[in-house]
Amino acid sequence: MSGVPVVAIDGPSGSGKGTVCRVLATRLGWHLLDSGALYRLTALAGRRAGLGPEDRTGHAALAGRMAVVFGVAPDGGERITLDGQDVTALVRAEETGQGASKVAAWPEVRTALMGRQRAFAEPPGLIADGRDMGTVVFTEAPLKIFLTASAEERALRRYKQLKDKDSAVSLAALSREIAERDLRDSTRSVAPLRPASDAFVIDSTGVAVEAIVGRVIELGRMRALWR
Ligand code: C5P
């Protein structure tokens, strides 16, 4: 691969990897790949184009050609545009996560997104957040982490993230949706969610973000990725 160092951080929804990855990328001054957002954007682009949910080749074509920009909003938060339109809130909706997990099960879509994901590996380094960063997309990554947390804690974290944006969200419904998504993500035939054989598995249940970040920094030092 490119020779650019990659830290692959995989895990199920709500395991805290998004936050951990953002903090790490900022602290190290490395690039960040939010691969889940690309699957979410593919689902959104499909919906916008009026594609049927089973249209694999149509979704794969959109995955390859959609114009995506990951930027920063005036308030410092994230801003994501799809073909020139701001879709930040839509991308993060739980419904979009469900749609993403459906299109993500198709090999055609995964292949179409491969080059786009690898292109994020630019100097000085990349923090890659996803489900198959260590097992498929960046198999040569010198540091792989698999972040987990109990199902209850993951649902609660997602609930806290979503309830400010969507007052209709319910913890019970969210727990059910996350369980469905986990099952689909870990039982699909291509790139199922599982730790790479050389990944460090870290359980973040009851552990603060800062402590997880500290552990990853320590592991990166052991691997001579930084000082
Ligand atoms: O991480 P996030 O919740 O944004 O991911 C949305 C969905 O995209 C996941 O449930 C999963 O099905 C899919 N995904 C994937 N491979 C990745 C990242 C996300 O299949 N590397």
Side-chain angles (χ1 to χ4, degrees):
M1 236 168 272
S2 60
V4 174
V6 175
V7 176
I9 306 193
D10 292 305
S13 168
S15 58
K17 66 198 161 60
T19 313
V20 166
C21 286
R22 225 172 316 115
V23 172
L24 275 170
T26 307
R27 198 163 298 174
L28 296 165
W30 282 22
H31 297 278
L32 174 67
L33 164 61
D34 175 357
S35 61
L38 293 175
Y39 288 95
R40 287 168 179 263
L41 285 157
T42 304
L44 263 186
R47 206 191 309 155
R48 291 199 157 179
L51 297 187
E54 295 308 322
D55 186 343
R56 298 174 174 220
T57 47
H59 279 92
L62 286 175
R65 72 163 181 261
M66 60 188 180
V68 173
V69 179
F70 292 99
V72 180
D75 69 356
E78 66 174 355
R79 181 170 187 271
I80 304 175
T81 65
L82 170 63
D83 296 325
Q85 280 187 310
D86 187 337
V87 290
T88 317
L90 266 176
V91 165
R92 295 299 165 205
E94 185 52 29
E95 191 195 344
T96 309
Q98 289 290 337
S101 140
K102 288 176 191 151
V103 302
W106 300 331
E108 296 87 340
V109 169
R110 305 201 72 84
T111 304
L113 287 177
M114 187 70 86
R116 217 181 245 271
Q117 295 176 82
R118 289 191 174 145
F120 276 79
E122 294 253 28
L126 176 68
I127 306 292
D129 164 351
R131 303 288 189 292
D132 63 341
M133 299 295 99
T135 51
V136 178
V137 182
F138 299 108
T139 49
E140 307 293 309
L143 178 59
K144 299 178 185 177
I145 308 288
F146 192 84
L147 207 54
T148 62
S150 71
E152 296 74 30
E153 180 145 337
R154 293 192 290 110
L156 201 58
R157 284 180 190 163
R158 288 291 291 152
Y159 176 70
K160 286 182 184 154
Q161 269 172 4
L162 289 174
K163 88 169 175 330
D164 297 339
K165 298 172 203 154
D166 176 5
S167 54
V169 70
S170 102
L171 181 58
L174 202 56
S175 302
R176 250 192 331 269
E177 284 166 7
I178 286 183
E180 256 175 51
R181 196 136 71 90
D182 285 353
L183 183 70
R184 197 161 40 226
D185 290 351
S186 48
T187 55
R188 67 186 175 211
S189 57
V190 279
L193 172 67
R194 62 174 173 79
S197 56
D198 51 350
F200 291 93
V201 178
I202 301 178
D203 187 342
S204 73
T205 312
V207 185
V209 168
E210 197 42 50
I212 305 285
V213 169
R215 177 82 183 116
V216 179
I217 297 268
E218 190 186 305
L219 289 167
R221 252 185 225 126
M222 274 167 47
R223 292 275 156 102
L225 287 179
W226 46 73
R227 285 141 60 97

